[in-house]
Amino acid sequence: MQHRAPLTNHHADDTDCPAEHRHTSSGKPPHPGCTGRAYTQAICSCGDWQMKNPGKGYVNECRRRHLASHPKPNPTGPKVLRDLLRLDAR
């Protein structure tokens, strides 16, 4: 199983800040009526890790490090079959 930890942006009142609300690097929105990104959160599907911080880049870096700590799943599907069935044409 490949784990996921999607990034989500949130307003100060803990409501989701929709993905279509673009932000400047400071978290200030050019979208009218949006209060801006107060924090970014990532929750891993493993259930043992989550991160919440005002720095989106920091959360993303920690998320990548955590996901890299999970063992890689064994490959399956057509490529594996092709590799197993490949004939050595030397």
Side-chain angles (χ1 to χ4, degrees), residues 5-57:
L7 291 175
T8 54
N9 295 316
H10 300 269
H11 300 127
D13 65 358
D14 293 328
T15 59
D16 288 348
C17 187
E20 60 268 11
H21 288 190
R22 300 289 178 209
H23 299 89
T24 62
S25 59
S26 67
K28 302 282 188 245
H31 190 291
C34 181
T35 58
R37 178 183 68 231
Y39 64 91
T40 298
Q41 185 173 27
I43 301 173
C44 185
S45 59
C46 74
D48 291 335
W49 182 89
Q50 66 178 331
M51 169 67 101
K52 177 179 171 180
N53 193 279
K56 182 177 181 179

